[in-house]
Amino acid sequence: MAIIHVWQAENKDFDLALSPDIQVGNVYDKNTASFHTIDYGAIGSTMNEKVLPGRYFVYVLLPKSAGNGGLMYSYTYFEIKKGETLPLKKIFSHDTPTGTFEPWDQNK
């Protein structure tokens, strides 16, 4: 189970260091010098919501209740093209400490 937040990211450059409330869906955009709330989201292991074509930013957080590895997080930018279904997957490593960042493409 995870918390999945997705923001529309056309012409945006998100800064997580300046986003203390990202866990609740607010992220800071350096280009507009403002905060943005999530456009799409889910709690669980999948998000089946249809999104419009464009560039997006996804942030995935394991809940504190996940025990060892709780509050681990990862993020990446991705693009959806018209008529495309994009299978985007993040599997967290089993031995990463609680509350740490793991790069999207890394998994041990």
Side-chain angles (χ1 to χ4, degrees), residues 7-29:
W7 291 266
Q8 191 282 332
E10 293 290 337
N11 302 312
K12 293 184 175 76
D13 183 15
F14 296 124
D15 188 335
L16 272 67
L18 296 175
S19 302
D21 295 329
I22 193 163
Q23 294 179 353
V24 294
N26 296 311
V27 68
Y28 183 78
D29 172 32

Side-chain angles (χ1 to χ4, degrees), residues 2-106:
I3 298 164
I4 306 164
H5 294 316
V6 178
W7 291 266
Q8 191 282 332
E10 293 290 337
N11 302 312
K12 293 184 175 76
D13 183 15
F14 296 124
D15 188 335
L16 272 67
L18 296 175
S19 302
D21 295 329
I22 193 163
Q23 294 179 353
V24 294
N26 296 311
V27 68
Y28 183 78
D29 172 32
K30 293 187 284 188
N31 291 344
T32 62
S34 63
F35 286 90
H36 297 270
T37 58
I38 63 171
D39 294 298
Y40 305 96
I43 296 175
S45 59
T46 61
M47 187 182 95
N48 294 319
E49 198 165 352
K50 292 185 180 190
V51 298
L52 298 173
R55 182 175 184 252
Y56 292 90
F57 178 80
V58 61
Y59 173 85
V60 177
L61 172 72
L62 295 180
K64 189 175 186 178
S65 62
N68 186 28
L71 298 179
M72 287 177 53
Y73 65 97
S74 190
Y75 57 86
T76 192
Y77 287 91
F78 65 96
E79 188 163 339
I80 298 287
K81 295 183 174 113
K82 186 175 180 177
E84 176 183 59
T85 298
L86 180 68
L88 193 62
K89 184 184 263 189
K90 171 62 184 157
I91 299 173
F92 286 95
S93 299
H94 66 287
D95 61 349
T96 304
T98 298
T100 58
F101 166 74
E102 181 174 89
W104 192 268
D105 294 330
Q106 178 181 331

